[in-house]
PDB file of all heavy atoms in Angstrom:
ATOM      1  N   ASP A  91     -29.922 -44.951   8.747  1.00  0.00           N
ATOM      2  CA  ASP A  91     -29.990 -46.350   9.138  1.00  0.00           C
ATOM      3  C   ASP A  91     -31.325 -46.663   9.768  1.00  0.00           C
ATOM      4  O   ASP A  91     -31.974 -47.673   9.412  1.00  0.00           O
ATOM      5  CB  ASP A  91     -28.842 -46.666  10.109  1.00  0.00           C
ATOM      6  CG  ASP A  91     -28.880 -48.079  10.655  1.00  0.00           C
ATOM      7  OD1 ASP A  91     -29.430 -48.983   9.982  1.00  0.00           O
ATOM      8  OD2 ASP A  91     -28.359 -48.315  11.773  1.00  0.00           O
ATOM      9  N   LEU A  92     -31.769 -45.842  10.689  1.00  0.00           N
ATOM     10  CA  LEU A  92     -33.024 -46.090  11.383  1.00  0.00           C
ATOM     11  C   LEU A  92     -34.220 -45.980  10.427  1.00  0.00           C
ATOM     12  O   LEU A  92     -35.138 -46.802  10.481  1.00  0.00           O
ATOM     13  CB  LEU A  92     -33.183 -45.131  12.558  1.00  0.00           C
ATOM     14  CG  LEU A  92     -32.184 -45.289  13.682  1.00  0.00           C
ATOM     15  CD1 LEU A  92     -32.296 -44.157  14.688  1.00  0.00           C
ATOM     16  CD2 LEU A  92     -32.348 -46.635  14.373  1.00  0.00           C
ATOM     17  N   ARG A  93     -34.214 -44.978   9.557  1.00  0.00           N
ATOM     18  CA  ARG A  93     -35.334 -44.804   8.610  1.00  0.00           C
ATOM     19  C   ARG A  93     -35.374 -45.923   7.579  1.00  0.00           C
ATOM     20  O   ARG A  93     -36.437 -46.290   7.099  1.00  0.00           O
ATOM     21  CB  ARG A  93     -35.251 -43.445   7.919  1.00  0.00           C
ATOM     22  CG  ARG A  93     -35.616 -42.299   8.847  1.00  0.00           C
ATOM     23  CD  ARG A  93     -35.740 -40.983   8.088  1.00  0.00           C
ATOM     24  NE  ARG A  93     -36.007 -39.876   8.973  1.00  0.00           N
ATOM     25  CZ  ARG A  93     -37.233 -39.524   9.415  1.00  0.00           C
ATOM     26  NH1 ARG A  93     -38.285 -40.213   9.033  1.00  0.00           N
ATOM     27  NH2 ARG A  93     -37.390 -38.504  10.207  1.00  0.00           N
ATOM     28  N   SER A  94     -34.207 -46.455   7.211  1.00  0.00           N
ATOM     29  CA  SER A  94     -34.154 -47.512   6.208  1.00  0.00           C
ATOM     30  C   SER A  94     -34.822 -48.793   6.689  1.00  0.00           C
ATOM     31  O   SER A  94     -35.144 -49.674   5.872  1.00  0.00           O
ATOM     32  CB  SER A  94     -32.701 -47.806   5.799  1.00  0.00           C
ATOM     33  OG  SER A  94     -32.021 -48.476   6.827  1.00  0.00           O
ATOM     34  N   ARG A  95     -35.054 -48.898   7.976  1.00  0.00           N
ATOM     35  CA  ARG A  95     -35.714 -50.085   8.529  1.00  0.00           C
ATOM     36  C   ARG A  95     -37.200 -50.100   8.226  1.00  0.00           C
ATOM     37  O   ARG A  95     -37.864 -51.116   8.393  1.00  0.00           O
ATOM     38  CB  ARG A  95     -35.473 -50.168  10.021  1.00  0.00           C
ATOM     39  CG  ARG A  95     -33.998 -50.292  10.371  1.00  0.00           C
ATOM     40  CD  ARG A  95     -33.738 -50.250  11.828  1.00  0.00           C
ATOM     41  NE  ARG A  95     -32.311 -50.145  12.068  1.00  0.00           N
ATOM     42  CZ  ARG A  95     -31.743 -50.284  13.244  1.00  0.00           C
ATOM     43  NH1 ARG A  95     -32.486 -50.539  14.311  1.00  0.00           N
ATOM     44  NH2 ARG A  95     -30.433 -50.157  13.385  1.00  0.00           N
ATOM     45  N   GLY A  96     -37.709 -48.933   7.806  1.00  0.00           N
ATOM     46  CA  GLY A  96     -39.131 -48.862   7.439  1.00  0.00           C
ATOM     47  C   GLY A  96     -40.084 -48.883   8.590  1.00  0.00           C
ATOM     48  O   GLY A  96     -41.278 -49.136   8.407  1.00  0.00           O
ATOM     49  N   LEU A  97     -39.614 -48.581   9.794  1.00  0.00           N
ATOM     50  CA  LEU A  97     -40.465 -48.594  10.978  1.00  0.00           C
ATOM     51  C   LEU A  97     -40.844 -47.171  11.362  1.00  0.00           C
ATOM     52  O   LEU A  97     -40.086 -46.238  11.159  1.00  0.00           O
ATOM     53  CB  LEU A  97     -39.743 -49.246  12.165  1.00  0.00           C
ATOM     54  CG  LEU A  97     -39.269 -50.674  11.947  1.00  0.00           C
ATOM     55  CD1 LEU A  97     -38.403 -51.124  13.122  1.00  0.00           C
ATOM     56  CD2 LEU A  97     -40.451 -51.604  11.774  1.00  0.00           C
ATOM     57  N   ALA A  98     -42.017 -47.018  11.937  1.00  0.00           N
ATOM     58  CA  ALA A  98     -42.453 -45.703  12.399  1.00  0.00           C
ATOM     59  C   ALA A  98     -41.933 -45.424  13.793  1.00  0.00           C
ATOM     60  O   ALA A  98     -41.884 -44.282  14.231  1.00  0.00           O
ATOM     61  CB  ALA A  98     -43.979 -45.616  12.383  1.00  0.00           C
ATOM     62  N   GLU A  99     -41.565 -46.498  14.518  1.00  0.00           N
ATOM     63  CA  GLU A  99     -41.128 -46.347  15.899  1.00  0.00           C
ATOM     64  C   GLU A  99     -39.951 -47.283  16.165  1.00  0.00           C
ATOM     65  O   GLU A  99     -39.965 -48.441  15.771  1.00  0.00           O
ATOM     66  CB  GLU A  99     -42.289 -46.672  16.830  1.00  0.00           C
ATOM     67  CG  GLU A  99     -42.137 -46.149  18.215  1.00  0.00           C
ATOM     68  CD  GLU A  99     -43.458 -46.195  18.978  1.00  0.00           C
ATOM     69  OE1 GLU A  99     -44.512 -46.032  18.381  1.00  0.00           O
ATOM     70  OE2 GLU A  99     -43.371 -46.383  20.223  1.00  0.00           O
ATOM     71  N   VAL A 100     -38.925 -46.755  16.830  1.00  0.00           N
ATOM     72  CA  VAL A 100     -37.757 -47.544  17.221  1.00  0.00           C
ATOM     73  C   VAL A 100     -37.524 -47.304  18.709  1.00  0.00           C
ATOM     74  O   VAL A 100     -37.986 -46.329  19.270  1.00  0.00           O
ATOM     75  CB  VAL A 100     -36.483 -47.173  16.416  1.00  0.00           C
ATOM     76  CG1 VAL A 100     -36.637 -47.510  14.956  1.00  0.00           C
ATOM     77  CG2 VAL A 100     -36.136 -45.716  16.603  1.00  0.00           C
ATOM     78  N   THR A 101     -36.782 -48.214  19.330  1.00  0.00           N
ATOM     79  CA  THR A 101     -36.488 -48.047  20.751  1.00  0.00           C
ATOM     80  C   THR A 101     -35.202 -47.230  20.922  1.00  0.00           C
ATOM     81  O   THR A 101     -34.387 -47.155  20.005  1.00  0.00           O
ATOM     82  CB  THR A 101     -36.304 -49.414  21.434  1.00  0.00           C
ATOM     83  OG1 THR A 101     -35.145 -50.064  20.865  1.00  0.00           O
ATOM     84  CG2 THR A 101     -37.519 -50.302  21.266  1.00  0.00           C
ATOM     85  N   SER A 102     -35.044 -46.669  22.093  1.00  0.00           N
ATOM     86  CA  SER A 102     -33.816 -45.908  22.360  1.00  0.00           C
ATOM     87  C   SER A 102     -32.610 -46.853  22.313  1.00  0.00           C
ATOM     88  O   SER A 102     -31.508 -46.431  21.958  1.00  0.00           O
ATOM     89  CB  SER A 102     -33.899 -45.209  23.720  1.00  0.00           C
ATOM     90  OG  SER A 102     -34.124 -46.136  24.748  1.00  0.00           O
TER      91      SER A 102
END
Side-chain angles (χ1 to χ4, degrees):
D91 175 27
L92 294 171
R93 287 189 183 276
S94 71
R95 299 175 190 190
L97 302 172
E99 199 165 328
V100 295
T101 64
S102 58

